[in-house]
Amino acid sequence: MRKASIVTVSVFSLFGSLAVAAPPPFNSLPTFTDNGTTLTAAGSLNGLGGGDLEITIEATGTETVVCADPVGVDPPAPTEVVLIGSKVVTATANTPVAFADLVSSLPPAPACALAEGEGLAPQHDVSFTKASLKIRPVQTDPMLPPLKMLRCIQCTFKAPSVDGPAKPQHCLSMTIC
């Protein structure tokens, strides 16, 4: 019994400094929508004080490109991409602040070898597997580093997303990412 307690305390001591659990700042889990090649997030934040807040989305997924070439040119292999986008919202102390339309960046345009004279566009899609939302006060002086993060919410999806709503299986709220 004593040995198990020592191991448990040692594990908490080791990992306690890596990530500090924080109360979730959401009334409910954020919502995500797979737009094909971007991921959109929306939600309502609580308890983060007042002022301008920058919310950054970092969406991770697998990019698939199908070249629309009838002569059978092989498409590029699927690759993992990380897409980032941000938005500034204004919070009032002790009042929830809603955000919507927080959209990740677009992946680079796919490279497909098209047959001569063909003007067919490739089919391009990203299946998202996880997303994180980083919330911090806006830094007004561009010469200074970003201000300390208030919250980091890391969400994983039940399965890779398909165009439309992407329901998180699990979200973890921390004070650092």
Side-chain angles (χ1 to χ4, degrees):
M1 178 72 173
R2 180 178 160 94
K3 188 175 185 179
S5 297
I6 292 170
V7 170
T8 302
V9 169
S10 298
V11 169
F12 282 125
S13 297
L14 176 65
F15 291 109
S17 64
L18 297 179
V20 178
F26 290 98
N27 292 330
S28 60
L29 290 179
T31 59
F32 297 95
T33 304
D34 179 340
N35 306 306
T37 55
T38 62
L39 188 69
T40 302
S44 179
L45 304 168
N46 293 323
L48 296 175
D52 290 339
L53 301 173
E54 179 182 30
I55 306 171
T56 302
I57 185 171
E58 194 171 287
T60 304
T62 302
E63 177 184 37
T64 305
V65 176
V66 177
C67 297
D69 187 350
V71 295
V73 174
D74 291 330
T79 58
E80 183 173 280
V81 293
V82 178
L83 308 174
I84 299 172
S86 65
K87 181 175 200 162
V88 174
V89 296
T90 301
T92 304
N94 302 320
T95 305
V97 60
F99 70 94
D101 301 325
L102 173 58
V103 183
S104 70
S105 59
L106 283 167
C112 285
L114 298 176
E116 191 173 318
E118 294 291 327
L120 301 173
Q123 296 175 1
H124 190 196
D125 189 52
V126 177
S127 297
F128 295 97
T129 54
K130 60 186 174 180
S132 45
L133 300 172
K134 299 174 182 178
I135 305 154
R136 68 175 33 143
V138 172
Q139 173 59 276
T140 56
D141 186 346
M143 299 305 290
L144 295 175
L147 294 173
K148 180 181 175 189
M149 191 169 314
L150 297 174
R151 291 287 187 274
C152 176
I153 294 91
Q154 295 180 334
C155 299
T156 56
F157 301 118
K158 290 182 180 180
S161 65
V162 178
D163 295 358
K167 185 168 174 65
Q169 176 180 12
H170 174 73
C171 288
L172 178 63
S173 175
M174 303 172 288
T175 55
I176 58 173
C177 278

